Amino acid sequence: MSELNNHSLRITKQRQIILDELCSVTSHPTADVLYQMVRKRLPKISLGTVYRNLEIMSECGIIQKLDIGGTQKRFDGSAHVHYHVRCNQCGRVDDLDLPPDFNVEKAAGKLTSFKILRHRLEFTGTCPECQS
Amino acid sequence: MSELNNHSLRITKQRQIILDELCSVTSHPTADVLYQMVRKRLPKISLGTVYRNLEIMSECGIIQKLDIGGTQKRFDGSAHVHYHVRCNQCGRVDDLDLPPDFNVEKAAGKLTSFKILRHRLEFTGTCPECQS
DNA sequence: ATAATTGCAAACTCTTTGCAACGCC
DNA sequence: GGCGTTGCAAAGAGTTTGCAATTAT
């Protein structure tokens, strides 16, 4: 799948608007939420197109696909490495800008015969709205 | 090894054998792999029963449901907090017994208005078999 | 006795895919 | 014009659920 990098990605209005909408937002929307957002500007777009483009853009490293707890994948318009908090009640996902700890990858590397490539740290908590 | 007693949970042979098989293994099987394992001892068991019991037992804290990358959930017969490495090529998941770092939860708590409850640290790497 | 649990199959949710028409380069 | 991309709908994968029969306590 990494040969997608060699494909010339065309700039279609669908792709542009999906990326626009995703980047316009600090939440980490699921594909269907993003689909609803995009439909306000492109009423005829299909959900399949949204999925296809999110897949392609995350493979190209333009965006991130998040595989956080919960049944649906979420998408992040920012490609830089950072951590996340997920609300155990409503599922909301926020960024958590703790500095990425790459030393922990070295420590892990000493405990396993896996060749460590990256790590993911996720917090579960209760968001302010759900605390009341 | 975990016990089923203590809850209002009945000890059925299905439940007992599912737990037995899960605990007999250091891998982190998906529901369908575990189903195949259990079927060798209980050929008439249904996949739904396996799913139902894994759900119930993880809710009771007897086992853990892992929501690691990949399309299927995985299950861990051990309920103690620990980290995991997942192979980016074959999907195999191993334990990684780095001591859980609860200080990171305190640090995170200072950066967010979420009330932090727990954290999850997962590594991605290439397993020995896939390195060749 | 009675309430939890089971097997079965159908339903459900999320995501992917085949295909003919379309549109960017 | 060529070929990547789209909309549509159907298929796929994984999991959950309704129900009547069964079983643990």
Side-chain angles (χ1 to χ4, degrees):
Chain A
M1 291 293 177
S2 44
E3 73 248 45
L4 275 170
N5 292 323
N6 298 331
H7 291 182
S8 47
L9 283 191
R10 289 185 183 168
I11 304 176
T12 62
K13 57 182 181 323
Q14 288 88 342
R15 185 166 294 155
Q16 184 68 62
I17 290 178
I18 291 167
L19 183 58
D20 265 18
E21 288 296 317
L22 180 57
C23 289
S24 77
V25 114
T26 61
S27 62
H28 300 75
T30 56
D32 63 301
V33 165
L34 190 55
Y35 170 59
Q36 297 304 337
M37 294 163 63
V38 169
R39 268 205 324 164
K40 292 180 181 148
R41 292 170 64 185
L42 273 182
K44 303 290 291 192
I45 198 174
S46 74
L47 181 57
T49 296
V50 173
Y51 271 109
R52 263 184 298 231
N53 277 296
L54 290 171
E55 184 62 32
I56 289 171
M57 292 190 292
S58 66
E59 296 246 328
C60 292
I62 301 170
I63 65 172
Q64 272 184 281
K65 176 156 46 164
L66 305 180
D67 208 353
I68 304 196
T71 52
Q72 302 179 54
K73 304 254 190 295
R74 288 173 172 270
F75 296 87
D76 190 329
S78 149
H80 89 274
V81 177
H82 58 280
Y83 301 145
H84 295 100
V85 222
R86 175 172 199 281
C87 180
N88 64 325
Q89 317 240 337
C90 69
R92 163 181 162 189
V93 175
D94 274 20
D95 288 328
L96 205 159
D97 288 320
L98 209 61
D101 174 14
F102 296 106
N103 288 325
V104 84
E105 293 190 9
K106 290 195 196 111
K110 290 177 182 158
L111 292 169
T112 178
S113 45
F114 280 58
K115 178 177 185 179
I116 304 291
L117 298 171
R118 56 186 177 274
H119 72 285
R120 185 172 68 179
L121 175 57
E122 284 157 15
F123 297 89
T124 301
T126 310
C127 77
E129 281 69 34
C130 291
Q131 281 176 37
S132 20
Chain B
M1 170 137 135
S2 302
E3 289 293 328
L4 281 178
N5 284 323
N6 280 2
H7 303 84
S8 56
L9 288 190
R10 292 187 181 169
I11 304 175
T12 61
K13 56 183 181 322
Q14 290 86 342
R15 183 120 76 210
Q16 185 67 64
I17 290 179
I18 290 167
L19 182 57
D20 265 17
E21 289 296 316
L22 180 57
C23 290
S24 76
V25 114
T26 61
S27 62
H28 301 76
T30 56
D32 64 301
V33 165
L34 190 55
Y35 170 58
Q36 296 304 337
M37 292 163 63
V38 169
R39 262 196 339 155
K40 292 180 181 149
R41 292 171 62 184
L42 274 181
K44 304 289 292 192
I45 199 175
S46 75
L47 182 57
T49 296
V50 172
Y51 271 108
R52 263 185 299 230
N53 277 297
L54 289 171
E55 185 61 33
I56 289 170
M57 291 191 291
S58 66
E59 294 228 329
C60 292
I62 301 170
I63 64 172
Q64 273 185 281
K65 174 154 51 164
L66 305 180
D67 208 353
I68 304 197
T71 52
Q72 296 171 265
K73 305 252 190 296
R74 287 173 174 271
F75 296 87
D76 190 328
S78 150
H80 89 274
V81 177
H82 58 281
Y83 301 144
H84 295 100
V85 222
R86 175 172 200 281
C87 180
N88 64 325
Q89 317 240 336
C90 69
R92 163 180 162 188
V93 175
D94 274 20
D95 288 328
L96 204 157
D97 288 319
L98 209 60
D101 174 15
F102 296 105
N103 288 325
V104 84
E105 293 188 10
K106 289 193 196 113
K110 290 177 181 158
L111 292 170
T112 178
S113 46
F114 279 57
K115 178 178 184 178
I116 304 291
L117 298 172
R118 55 186 177 276
H119 72 285
R120 185 173 70 179
L121 174 57
E122 284 157 16
F123 297 89
T124 300
T126 310
C127 77
E129 281 68 35
C130 291
Q131 280 176 37
S132 21

